[in-house]
Amino acid sequence: MPIIQNYALPLIMVGHYALNVIELLLKIFMTKIYSDGYTIGQNPSPIGGGYVVMNEAKEVLTEKEIQKVGMTNNEIELLGVLCATEVAGISDEIITDSMNTYWWVMKRKCKARKDLKPIAEKAYKNICEKNLKLIQEGRETNLAGNYIEFVLQK
């Protein structure tokens, strides 16, 4: 199939911004997906932890608790982001409040926890295949974090 170079798509004005048709459609159909994790009791946990993945309409897409002695907050946060990449659609945004998780996924390495590298690599692969955007934002804007804190009371 021939590659078309320098092909100009029609521009559409959105406020003060000019977007091409494809960019506009991606913005219309893109969903923000929030992910957050927690440990049970303490960190590391003698019991386990869980994560919540939800969309911007505050619908819980996945809620999972894992029983595992020694579960850390970093581990469960990373598992939550992996799950978010699996349920995300093309070009969705995934929001995490974990700076560790963000960098572990984007660099595909976990120096402090080499055992988590395969999880970070799988999340990154999903991000690339689906053209996802991973964003790190503060806890106060993370809908999944608010759900954990106020609904699950963890």
Side-chain angles (χ1 to χ4, degrees):
M1 184 160 77
I3 297 174
I4 301 172
Q5 295 181 348
N6 300 324
Y7 179 72
L9 293 170
L11 295 179
I12 298 172
M13 293 303 294
V14 178
H16 296 291
Y17 301 97
L19 301 174
N20 70 39
V21 174
I22 293 173
E23 288 174 331
L24 181 61
L25 289 173
L26 288 176
K27 287 195 179 297
I28 290 171
F29 293 107
M30 178 271 302
T31 299
K32 286 187 179 183
I33 297 176
Y34 297 84
S35 172
D36 200 14
Y38 61 90
T39 53
I40 301 169
Q42 61 193 41
N43 184 26
S45 174
I47 302 167
Y51 60 82
V52 173
V53 176
M54 61 192 316
N55 63 21
E56 58 196 327
K58 299 182 181 176
E59 298 170 321
V60 174
L61 304 175
T62 304
E63 183 178 333
K64 185 169 185 176
E65 202 162 277
I66 300 169
Q67 303 297 313
K68 179 184 173 192
V69 174
M71 175 74 74
T72 65
N73 193 60
N74 286 332
E75 182 175 6
I76 202 69
E77 291 271 5
L78 185 58
L79 288 168
V81 166
L82 173 61
C83 177
T85 66
E86 291 169 347
V87 300
I90 303 299
S91 297
D92 284 350
E93 290 182 352
I94 297 172
I95 314 295
T96 179
D97 59 16
S98 171
M99 187 65 79
N100 277 343
T101 296
Y102 174 83
W103 285 114
W104 286 357
V105 171
M106 298 313 290
K107 291 184 175 184
R108 294 163 317 284
K109 53 178 135 174
C110 317
K111 284 184 183 178
R113 293 285 310 271
K114 293 183 182 358
D115 58 312
L116 301 180
K117 183 178 178 181
I119 300 169
E121 289 175 334
K122 176 64 175 154
Y124 185 80
K125 181 180 178 204
N126 293 343
I127 287 169
C128 293
E129 288 176 354
K130 294 182 174 183
N131 193 35
L132 303 173
K133 186 174 184 182
L134 180 61
I135 299 169
Q136 189 278 327
E137 291 183 357
R139 170 77 182 224
E140 63 280 355
T141 61
N142 190 328
L143 296 179
N146 292 332
Y147 179 85
I148 289 169
E149 185 175 348
F150 298 112
V151 177
L152 298 180
Q153 299 182 347
K154 304 272 184 181

